[in-house]
Amino acid sequence: MNQVEENSNTITGNRAKRVAILKTAGRYLVSLLTIMTAAAAGYLILMLASETEFTVGPVHAEFALRPAWHGKSIVDLPPAGTIEADTHSGPAVVHYSLKEIAVTEVSELTDPESVSRQELQNWQEPVRSQVRSLLLRILLLSALTGGMICALIRRRWQWGIAGALIAMLTTMLVAGIVWQTYDTAAFREPRYSGSLTYAPEVIAFSEETLANLDDYETRVPEIAESLYRTISQLHQLPGALPEDDTIRVVHVSDMHSSSAAARLVKQTVDLYQADFVIDTGDLTNLGNPFEAGYPSTYLPLTKPYVWVAGNHDTPTITETMRGINGVTVLDSQFADIDGVRIGGFPDPASLNLSPKPSSDAQMAADAARILKIVESQNPGPFIVAVHDPKQAALLVGRVPVVLNGHTHKEAITVKDKTVFLDAGTTGGGGFRSFNGNAESPTSLQVLYIRKNPLKLMAVDSISIYGYSQEFSVSRRVFAGDEGVLAPIEASLALPAL
């Protein structure tokens, strides 16, 4: 064999080796692509087939997984908005969406004895059952899809079995990572998107504190009993306010559909033997028909109830209140109760079909309107009740007493002899009333008004902190020229308690 033949054979051999290597690499590449295709099929089936609707008692919601590079949870709470939290690892977004709450009254959710509430408390078993069914369905779909794709690509039944196993393992791996790393504590640092109106309530609601609701509900009677003892001691102090010549008025505001607050109001009215109640608005959270049954949890009281609408109330709530016996709805109107003339002016935003705050321009215009109406009255009102303090900005020195809410901060201020009383939030701040670490304590006020001549003598401020028995009762006594229809002699001032 000459040199030329040897070189030719060497070249042919090398070419054959390269072809063999390429064929082997091609087979491995096809196998790898097939495996990746089966894994991708399992992942996509998990994402596509996970969307499901589930029911726990009266709550109907939707659950789904969405593809993503980084894990997080998204919770839709229409119409309030959306909260997000980095709850887990893994390439998936967990998406929850509230679809419906199938109850006719809020009390069905907040009353511990109701069937709906008990079903919610026993949510674990129905949820576990639905999760098991969902996972089984997803695993079967993953196996079928992965097996069919691999069998079609490789044309061998062995690859069909391998594809089914790979798809199932991928599904189990992704779901397992999400399940094992899921941490609900991440909702303590949520991200919110939606209307600024609901931002404080939704963010507070996301902080995993609903479990405290039962504790608070059971403690309300204990709080009331301790409160009763404190009130009794106040009434027995030297120089205490006379019983026969005093009108007691309970001032509440921003109840925000809290059933615990409703019971607290009823108990306070009984404990103080109040003559009537003034509510300065935000009785509900969203003002929708679902919340229209809330007042029935404690109304009608045995005493008259005067109400003005807040920015979280709507025409639906206003009409509901008009239909309750014993309730006087003041819509830029005046009423005489126990010899006390009261003017009431709703928040302009209460005319909206959904809650939102009024603009500064609207408030300025409403303040001018209220001043004009008040000055046209003869006799003038002793009390003017508004929801937002901006509505009463021009009443300084014009009326003896102004009541308001909205700020969620209980306060007593005297300006040019006019006493401004902010009840704070009797409902603990709406959704925040579920939050044991809420910034705003539950608060309400009791006014002591001398009958003849009318004068605001003192105010008891009651605050309850969180979901414990911790509370405070403080009394503010007013000077002789504060909180009166006209200047009176300083000698009529109350002695210090």
Side-chain angles (χ1 to χ4, degrees), residues 205-324:
F205 179 71
S206 74
E207 293 184 356
E208 288 277 303
T209 54
L210 286 173
N212 290 326
L213 180 60
D214 287 334
D215 186 48
Y216 183 46
E217 297 279 354
T218 57
R219 288 178 183 269
V220 166
E222 300 173 25
I223 294 170
E225 178 61 29
S226 299
L227 188 58
Y228 176 77
R229 291 195 298 269
T230 302
I231 294 167
S232 297
Q233 292 170 3
L234 281 173
H235 288 176
Q236 293 168 9
L237 289 172
L241 299 164
E243 299 285 334
D244 297 335
D245 192 38
T246 304
I247 300 168
R248 294 180 180 84
V249 181
V250 174
H251 175 209
V252 302
S253 190
D254 297 75
M255 299 279 282
H256 290 296
S257 293
S258 169
S259 63
R263 287 202 297 277
L264 184 61
V265 170
K266 188 171 183 178
Q267 289 168 333
T268 302
V269 169
D270 293 338
L271 292 175
Y272 269 89
Q273 297 181 351
D275 294 283
F276 60 92
V277 180
I278 299 179
D279 183 340
T280 48
D282 274 4
L283 190 66
T284 59
N285 277 308
L286 305 177
N288 54 32
F290 164 66
E291 292 180 287
Y294 167 68
S296 66
T297 61
Y298 70 110
L299 292 175
L301 296 173
T302 56
K303 304 295 182 179
Y305 195 95
V306 179
W307 181 77
V308 296
N311 64 292
H312 277 258
D313 302 312
T314 60
T316 297
I317 303 303
T318 298
E319 287 306 308
T320 298
M321 293 297 284
R322 290 187 193 280
I324 299 177

Side-chain angles (χ1 to χ4, degrees), residues 113-285:
E113 302 301 322
S114 71
V115 174
S116 296
R117 180 65 180 276
Q118 291 175 3
E119 289 176 341
L120 282 177
Q121 289 174 333
N122 300 319
W123 62 270
Q124 292 92 340
E125 184 52 40
V127 168
R128 289 194 186 107
S129 177
Q130 293 186 60
V131 168
R132 286 193 293 266
S133 300
L134 176 63
L135 285 176
L136 180 60
R137 183 171 73 248
I138 290 174
L139 287 174
L140 289 174
L141 285 173
S142 296
L144 288 172
T145 304
M148 290 177 60
I149 289 175
C150 289
L152 288 172
I153 294 175
R154 301 308 301 270
R155 303 290 182 176
R156 297 177 62 182
W157 64 268
Q158 293 91 337
W159 271 103
I161 295 176
L165 292 174
I166 292 167
M168 289 177 64
L169 286 173
T170 302
T171 298
M172 294 172 64
L173 178 63
V174 175
I177 291 173
V178 172
W179 179 269
Q180 290 298 323
T181 62
Y182 203 90
D183 183 11
T184 55
F187 282 108
R188 294 171 184 165
E189 298 180 359
R191 298 180 296 275
Y192 171 73
S193 60
S195 171
L196 289 177
T197 302
Y198 306 108
E201 286 87 353
V202 175
I203 290 175
F205 179 71
S206 74
E207 293 184 356
E208 288 277 303
T209 54
L210 286 173
N212 290 326
L213 180 60
D214 287 334
D215 186 48
Y216 183 46
E217 297 279 354
T218 57
R219 288 178 183 269
V220 166
E222 300 173 25
I223 294 170
E225 178 61 29
S226 299
L227 188 58
Y228 176 77
R229 291 195 298 269
T230 302
I231 294 167
S232 297
Q233 292 170 3
L234 281 173
H235 288 176
Q236 293 168 9
L237 289 172
L241 299 164
E243 299 285 334
D244 297 335
D245 192 38
T246 304
I247 300 168
R248 294 180 180 84
V249 181
V250 174
H251 175 209
V252 302
S253 190
D254 297 75
M255 299 279 282
H256 290 296
S257 293
S258 169
S259 63
R263 287 202 297 277
L264 184 61
V265 170
K266 188 171 183 178
Q267 289 168 333
T268 302
V269 169
D270 293 338
L271 292 175
Y272 269 89
Q273 297 181 351
D275 294 283
F276 60 92
V277 180
I278 299 179
D279 183 340
T280 48
D282 274 4
L283 190 66
T284 59
N285 277 308

